[in-house]
Amino acid sequence: MTDQPDELFPATRRALLHRIAVAQAEGRTPSLIAAVVRDGRLVWSGARSMIDGHAPTPGVQYRIGSLTKTFVAVLVLRLRDEGLLDLADPLERHLPGTPAGGATIAQLLAHSAGLAAETPGPWWERTDGSLRPALDDILEADAPLKHPAGRRHHYSNPGYALLGALVERLRGRPWGEVLRYEVLEPLGMDRTTLLPEHPHAGGFAVHPWADVMLPEPLTDTGLMAPAGQLWSTATDLARWAAFLAGGDEKVLAAATLAEMRRPAVGPESADWSGAYGLGLQLFRHEGRVLYGHTGSMPGFTAGLWISEADGLAALALSNATGGANTPLVAAELIALTAKHEPRLPEPWRPLPSVDEELLALTGPWYWGATAHALRLKADRVLELASLAGGGGRSSSFRPEPDGSWTGLDNYYAGETLRVVRAADGSVSHLDLGSFVLTREPYSPAPVIPGGVDPQGWRAG
């Protein structure tokens, strides 16, 4: 991702600046900085401050709180993609001796292990990590579970401390070092650190009933650091948003990132506004489904969201414990940019070449009497679209070396599509996970499971 902003229209820039100015003023935060990323490029950044003529630059560090969890999740998914663990593995298999050994790695990533939300003892966010010297100290040994594992989403900060310890065990060095060498350096994020480095913002609490401030403590949370320790900048987080949107083979493939943003546990209400994947939150806002994460630590709040449909991402950082709703600000920056400068579709272009045998497969196919259309896309991908008003199913399929195709999405995700040929070599039908698709409704009869009434179609 380039650090040089592309130009937005003046009206867009004004609308974005107005939104963060309102957030800083009404939220009574000493400072607020925000940025917008479009198609992987930083296109705007802006800031407001309580000091006239002085606002933080995109290179000033803020504490990002639970945005740290997205980084930890990427480290864990790297281990999975390398074959060093399976998400279905119990934690005990790789990190024995913790009170949560029966929880699976997937459950820890998705906050569905049923673990307590916080540590026992004093509030971990405002106290030194030396108060919790061992993993046994971050969970109650006799009652670590608050809910049955795998049944519901229950946010757990200690769960991510365990994931950080898991990374350390399998890599053989501190998780912060692993993060720097495996993720931050490859992505050029040299201003994201475990402890603040100059220049950085100071964290404050603002009195609820008076315009006065109180400095918040700067703590090293020790074993709890994977839950919310990191400091970062608008520039670095813009790079992180670009990575979460498109992936980077040096760090994690786009397909794995897509897996991370799928809801891992079903929503508890029909009108859900939020869900959680594998280290990524999902948030519904103004008709969009956004993914990313929120963050807060004493003295700081943060929000980062990505809209896949719009090719946009936005982030907002503040240095007050409460007040400015930075996650909402980030979501509204996406909405404002999309409103003022909607995404242009890619121009239609013909395929560079065509396989005549694949071209011959395109057109109408029937699952029984339900009409579908098969289309040929780039890279030999086949797209099956339902033409029925109800009951039809649609999916895309990627080609495999053996001549079959594998479903990529929707009902047929992971299922196999095969072309079945007659004795003379002509195409007889398509086999899709045992479903038979033919060129005519229920014809030819010999290939239809269960056969076809010999009297055929009839009226009345």
Side-chain angles (χ1 to χ4, degrees):
M1 189 204 75
T2 179
D3 292 340
Q4 180 62 42
D6 289 342
E7 281 295 309
L8 293 179
F9 296 142
T12 310
R13 299 198 303 270
R14 176 67 181 180
L16 297 174
L17 180 60
H18 179 265
R19 181 64 190 90
I20 66 168
V22 170
Q24 188 272 337
E26 294 184 351
R28 300 190 306 139
T29 183
S31 69
L32 187 148
I33 189 165
V36 173
V37 175
R38 181 171 60 188
D39 295 328
R41 296 173 62 86
L42 177 64
V43 294
W44 176 85
S45 66
R48 299 286 286 184
S49 169
M50 64 182 183
I51 303 174
D52 291 339
H54 176 77
T57 69
V60 172
Q61 282 189 330
Y62 286 69
R63 200 168 192 176
I64 63 173
S66 287
L67 271 169
T68 302
K69 294 180 174 70
T70 65
F71 293 85
V72 174
V74 165
L75 293 178
V76 173
L77 268 295
R78 282 176 56 85
L79 294 169
R80 192 285 305 271
D81 286 358
E82 292 174 24
L84 297 178
L85 57 80
D86 191 287
L87 297 186
D89 290 344
L91 181 64
E92 182 77 13
R93 182 172 300 173
H94 304 285
L95 187 68
T98 74
T104 70
I105 295 167
Q107 289 168 349
L108 292 170
L109 285 167
H111 297 285
S112 63
L115 299 181
E118 309 295 347
T119 66
W123 184 9
W124 68 270
E125 292 180 345
R126 295 184 99 249
T127 54
D128 193 85
S130 60
L131 295 175
R132 297 165 294 276
L135 290 177
D136 286 348
D137 300 316
I138 67 173
L139 284 169
E140 297 179 12
D142 55 345
L145 296 183
K146 302 300 180 183
H147 305 282
R151 298 287 294 277
R152 63 176 295 172
H153 173 79
H154 184 70
Y155 198 87
S156 174
N157 283 301
Y160 266 74
L162 293 173
L163 289 173
L166 169 69
V167 170
E168 293 190 356
R169 173 63 63 90
L170 294 182
R171 291 301 195 203
R173 54 183 174 173
W175 76 274
E177 290 185 12
V178 179
L179 178 66
R180 184 170 72 253
Y181 292 131
E182 295 189 5
V183 176
L184 300 179
E185 289 183 357
L187 295 179
M189 298 175 62
D190 57 0
R191 290 282 290 145
T192 299
T193 56
L194 276 170
L195 293 173
E197 297 180 358
H198 184 77
H200 67 85
F204 295 91
V206 177
H207 194 286
W209 313 121
D211 290 335
V212 293
M213 305 189 307
L214 182 72
E216 290 275 23
L218 196 167
T219 55
D220 182 344
T221 57
L223 290 176
M224 288 299 295
Q229 179 82 11
L230 287 179
W231 294 68
S232 192
T233 67
T235 298
D236 267 16
L237 288 178
R239 290 180 177 275
W240 187 241
F243 162 71
L244 292 176
D248 188 315
E249 292 299 330
K250 298 190 300 292
V251 178
L252 207 62
T256 300
L257 288 164
E259 179 184 0
M260 292 174 64
R261 60 181 179 258
R262 287 196 290 269
V265 180
E268 296 186 7
S269 61
D271 58 346
W272 67 274
S273 60
Y276 208 94
L278 301 175
L280 292 174
Q281 291 175 322
L282 291 92
F283 174 51
R284 286 176 118 175
H285 179 260
E286 295 188 5
R288 293 177 174 84
V289 176
L290 310 176
Y291 65 92
H293 217 286
T294 62
S296 68
M297 287 291 280
F300 296 91
T301 66
L304 182 154
W305 298 115
I306 299 158
S307 172
E308 182 180 13
D310 296 296
L312 290 171
L315 61 100
L317 308 170
S318 81
N319 62 330
T321 301
N325 188 339
T326 48
L328 181 60
V329 171
E332 292 181 349
L333 295 180
I334 289 176
L336 283 168
T337 307
K339 176 183 177 182
H340 285 78
E341 302 186 25
R343 188 180 199 180
L344 300 177
E346 288 295 320
W348 176 87
R349 296 183 178 91
L351 298 177
S353 61
V354 63
D355 184 320
E356 293 296 335
E357 288 192 358
L358 286 184
L359 186 61
L361 294 177
T362 62
W365 289 89
Y366 297 88
W367 174 46
T370 303
H372 290 75
L374 193 68
R375 294 181 173 88
L376 175 61
K377 312 295 285 186
D379 300 320
R380 299 174 62 85
V381 169
L382 294 177
E383 183 181 86
L384 185 69
S386 170
L387 302 180
R393 294 163 176 157
S394 302
S395 289
S396 296
F397 298 83
R398 70 164 181 263
E400 301 293 351
D402 65 357
S404 66
W405 283 261
T406 299
L408 297 175
D409 49 22
N410 302 327
Y411 184 82
Y412 295 114
E415 302 293 337
T416 299
L417 172 67
R418 292 185 176 88
V419 177
V420 181
R421 298 186 178 275
D424 62 1
S426 63
V427 174
S428 168
H429 60 279
L430 305 179
D431 182 295
L432 178 49
S434 82
F435 291 161
V436 169
L437 286 84
T438 54
R439 281 297 195 183
E440 300 292 338
Y442 282 119
S443 177
V447 305
I448 303 298
V452 177
D453 190 305
Q455 297 184 42
W457 300 95
R458 51 188 179 272

mmCIF file of all heavy atoms in Angstrom, residues 133 381 455:
data_model
loop_
_atom_site.group_PDB
_atom_site.id
_atom_site.type_symbol
_atom_site.label_atom_id
_atom_site.label_comp_id
_atom_site.label_asym_id
_atom_site.label_seq_id
_atom_site.Cartn_x
_atom_site.Cartn_y
_atom_site.Cartn_z
ATOM 1 N N PRO A 133 1.684 -13.528 36.715
ATOM 2 C CA PRO A 133 2.934 -14.058 36.153
ATOM 3 C C PRO A 133 2.784 -15.361 35.384
ATOM 4 O O PRO A 133 3.668 -15.708 34.601
ATOM 5 C CB PRO A 133 3.813 -14.256 37.397
ATOM 6 C CG PRO A 133 2.846 -14.455 38.514
ATOM 7 C CD PRO A 133 1.662 -13.589 38.188
ATOM 8 N N VAL A 381 -13.319 -20.693 -14.633
ATOM 9 C CA VAL A 381 -14.326 -20.780 -13.573
ATOM 10 C C VAL A 381 -15.705 -20.887 -14.206
ATOM 11 O O VAL A 381 -16.012 -20.195 -15.180
ATOM 12 C CB VAL A 381 -14.255 -19.552 -12.645
ATOM 13 C CG1 VAL A 381 -15.464 -19.487 -11.716
ATOM 14 C CG2 VAL A 381 -12.970 -19.585 -11.841
ATOM 15 N N GLN A 455 -45.050 -42.123 -19.676
ATOM 16 C CA GLN A 455 -46.015 -41.377 -20.465
ATOM 17 C C GLN A 455 -45.547 -39.948 -20.755
ATOM 18 O O GLN A 455 -46.149 -39.252 -21.580
ATOM 19 C CB GLN A 455 -47.382 -41.336 -19.761
ATOM 20 C CG GLN A 455 -48.008 -42.717 -19.583
ATOM 21 C CD GLN A 455 -49.396 -42.628 -18.968
ATOM 22 O OE1 GLN A 455 -50.184 -41.764 -19.329
ATOM 23 N NE2 GLN A 455 -49.667 -43.534 -18.027
#
